[in-house]
Amino acid sequence: MIRMRPGLTGPLTVGAGALLALTLAPYTAHSVTLWVVYGLLALSFTFVWGHGGIFSLGQAAFFGIGGYAYGVAGINLVPSTGESLSSLLIAALVAAAVAALLGYFVFYGDVGDVYLAVITIATTLVLLTFFASTSDSTYRIGNALLGGYNGMVGIPGLVLPGGQRLTANGVLAVVVLIAGGVAIGIAVLLRRPFGRVLAGIRENEVRTQLLGYEVRARKLGAFVIGGFVAGLAGALYAAWGNFINPQVFSLQQASLVAIWTLVGGRRSIPGAFAGAFAVQALSDYLGGVTEGAVIPAVLGAILLVVVLFLPEGVLHPLRERVLSAVRKGTDLDLGVAESDPDPEAAFGRDATPASRVRTVDVQKRFGGLRVLRGVTLDVAPNEVRTVIGPNGAGKSTFFGLLTGRHRPDAGEILLDGVRLNRLRPEKRARLGLGIKTQVPSIYPELSVAENVWIAAYGAGPDAEKRVAEVLAGLRLTGKAQLPAGALAHGEQQWLEIGMVLVRRPRVVLLDEPTAGMTRAETSRYVELIAVLARSATVLVVEHDMEFVRDLGAPVTMLHEGTVFAEGSIAELRADDRVLDVYLGRAKADA
Amino acid sequence: MLEVEGLHAGYGRTAVLHGMTLSVPAGSRTAVLGRNGVGKSTLLKTLIGLVPATGGRILVDGADVTGHPAHRRARSGIAYVPQGRDIFPDLSVLDNLRVADRTGRLEQVFDEFPVLREKRHAAGGSLSGGQQQILALGRALMTGPRLLLLDEPSEGIQPSIVDQIAGAVRRMNDEHGLTVLLVEQNLEFAAGVCDRALIVDKGEVVRSVRTADLLADRDMQHEYLGV
């Protein structure tokens, strides 16, 4: 159902490329080597941004660090080792280490997306200034002079073990093999669980966190890999030209990386190379026939055209044409409405003891506003409890305290006696808390099967089997390969509940689960909750009173941040004070 | 004045209004009541054009405005006072009003709400909640509207100012023939301003009643407004 292994296309393409490299004219081979190196740099950005959703403008910085590190390592080591592959590896590792350091502060500091872009570009420019000011001969590491604005010279080229010198064609072939190997490695990684969860983080970070994944560590991991690849590209660049200067840290170089990737398509691995080739070939051509000053203007125009008309890159229309030719004939039945979901088949389990949820006098204020003045609640294992209240009663804030979105100012939140107060959402999820938010929170661009798989993978073995069961019960098997965003609203709601329940939570929190649902869908939901309660404690925040009545569960009513009334829905209906609150009368007393 | 026929609207794929039909006669004061989440605020946002209609028609004095952008509707005489007021907190009271000034009604608004004249140099954000609500109402009146859409003006405001707002809205209606469509949770306030109420449930108008009848009928309150 979910493809884990790439085909042979990648290795064959790389092999063919390496062979082709040996047939080019030496001067052409020399130019093309640079394009491949730039393609590798573009690939690092495609990976961190296109696949990881991390808009890092620092790839040029890691490229430059890789280049300088290769220079230092190569100048000092190659004379004794007689090969330069170890220096390449050292350079890439140095760049990865710098990425790890920078990434740690950025991701663990919970810096927002825009600030991440600003911080990474600022780091790049700081490096530009630093390396430009190292002209003094005291700036040396071993035999390597950093060289200030003029850069570092005398960097050894590629030398294979055995020490034989390579021709220009040989260098190109080796660079193609290295870059191709990295590209295949990244393609494989993206199909592995790491890549799938990364796609989940990119598509919907909150949902991924609520499924129990430590988002920060995974983003840091992706960032470090991106730094490694960019550093490797930088090392190859320094080996190719036998020199490096601070211009690699320039604003122009940093923006070129984004241009290559955008032209090639932000998710496309071959596209990273195609983008770099196309843009560099055009720049070289323009540099030949004009003064060269026109190049930035032309590149800018290309960028605009690509962003406006080819947002998926230049290779995308081509790929679509091939795919649609392949699809023709295979009849995918998209229009057929399958029968209603079957909660019993999807989630029915033997009765198991669930967890007890308690809150003791939890309080929360935002600025001067006391939203929760002390809520005490005790929900027994396998109980269903509904929380209601008029606008502004504090329902959403209370829900946010349970999920870990907010932290209480005072009071206790307990799950089977374990204090949750300050735990992050992913930790709560791993303790058995399943959370369904109000707006369907899914991964719209991933397939339906991938959506459920990401949820299932983090929660024990047999992920594939549980995915199949849940999809069958939700009657979504026929749509398993569709992007989840293409499902109808009601189906998306069910898909999300499937993602929550495939993890077999011991407590399920539902925030207005029937918002936007039809009456028929709502009554299926009542059945679902009955099935759920056999193996989980269920807490529903809801304001659809018909649904609350159909559910027939005990009700806790919040008002002005505290528990106003508790009892059956019939008892609350009979209580005139409750009606007064709903009609806005009680406010006059406040 | 306002005719709404089979209106559908929502947010993304979440449909909130499922074919809402209603009619507001010129010069009337009509309340829209119902529980949380039934689509009352979405109705007003769709009427002013902040939420696009996905089906149905909105007619103002017989003219179809369904596809018009919000600024065109505002110019054609619809004024909208959103929930939470949305005044410009960093602008002075005077500038808050001037932003909306197309018809030179500043003095008239100051006469209607003397507190705004008194505080005209204070920043909007420094006013109390009730004063901010009055400012939002005054700002809406600056555009010289014929139809006023009010979204929960009584929310979080002390009773004396709630009464003042109710009085002002009634007066604008009596003296200038302004048509009023009021969304409320506070039944007493709604009944104090409007004679007729449309009860909304699940994105549709389910009843049209006299507010006096609703006020006296506890069963009906339970059915449509209580728990």
Side-chain angles (χ1 to χ4, degrees), chain A residues 466-477:
Chain A
R466 281 179 291 140
V467 172
E469 281 169 12
V470 164
L471 288 180
L474 292 177
R475 306 280 188 250
L476 285 173
T477 307

Side-chain angles (χ1 to χ4, degrees), chain A residues 247-509:
Chain A
Q247 280 310 305
V248 291
F249 298 111
S250 67
L251 202 54
Q252 195 180 354
Q253 184 73 26
S255 42
L256 263 178
V257 181
I259 294 177
W260 295 326
T261 289
L262 279 165
V263 168
R266 67 199 157 106
R267 304 256 168 87
S268 168
I269 290 170
F273 293 94
F277 274 42
V279 172
Q280 287 317 114
L282 184 71
S283 295
D284 287 359
Y285 170 76
L286 290 174
V289 297
T290 68
E291 294 285 300
V294 69
I295 295 176
V298 172
L299 289 185
I302 290 176
L303 187 61
L304 280 179
V305 169
V306 167
V307 168
L308 288 176
F309 300 107
L310 297 167
E312 298 295 323
V314 288
L315 288 188
H316 189 70
L318 204 70
R319 184 166 168 267
E320 283 297 287
R321 194 156 297 174
V322 173
L323 280 183
S324 72
V326 173
R327 272 194 210 118
K328 231 173 247 171
T330 61
D331 243 337
L332 246 182
D333 226 341
L334 301 184
V336 178
E338 298 183 59
S339 50
D340 274 352
D342 181 351
E344 185 67 55
F347 314 117
R349 279 192 275 153
D350 296 336
T352 48
S355 298
R356 175 180 220 97
V357 180
R358 281 177 61 212
T359 67
V360 183
D361 196 31
V362 289
Q363 300 180 24
K364 180 71 189 171
R365 61 168 73 228
F366 294 105
L369 196 62
R370 282 184 78 192
V371 179
L372 290 185
R373 291 158 192 268
V375 175
T376 300
L377 195 73
D378 188 354
V379 189
N382 299 83
E383 184 187 335
V384 178
R385 178 72 66 91
T386 319
V387 176
I388 64 169
N391 268 352
K395 300 190 298 284
S396 303
T397 305
F398 182 63
F399 193 84
L401 286 173
L402 294 176
T403 63
R405 185 167 170 222
H406 307 307
R407 290 172 176 188
D409 298 326
E412 303 277 346
I413 303 168
L414 302 164
L415 182 76
D416 279 339
V418 178
R419 200 157 172 267
L420 298 185
N421 289 24
R422 311 223 142 246
L423 285 189
R424 290 173 58 86
E426 67 268 13
K427 294 257 170 60
R428 299 184 193 212
R430 278 183 238 152
L431 287 174
L433 216 60
I435 298 150
K436 159 88 181 70
T437 54
Q438 187 180 345
V439 179
S441 178
I442 54 168
Y443 307 115
E445 289 192 26
L446 305 185
S447 77
V448 171
E450 282 172 324
N451 268 267
V452 185
W453 183 90
I454 289 178
Y457 172 70
D462 293 339
E464 299 274 327
K465 184 163 159 272
R466 281 179 291 140
V467 172
E469 281 169 12
V470 164
L471 288 180
L474 292 177
R475 306 280 188 250
L476 285 173
T477 307
K479 299 183 178 178
Q481 300 310 326
L482 288 185
L487 296 181
H489 178 80
E491 288 175 320
Q492 291 188 10
Q493 293 275 26
W494 282 104
L495 174 61
E496 193 193 6
I497 199 83
M499 290 163 67
V500 172
L501 299 185
V502 76
R503 300 178 53 81
R504 309 210 158 144
R506 292 153 65 82
V507 174
V508 179
L509 306 176

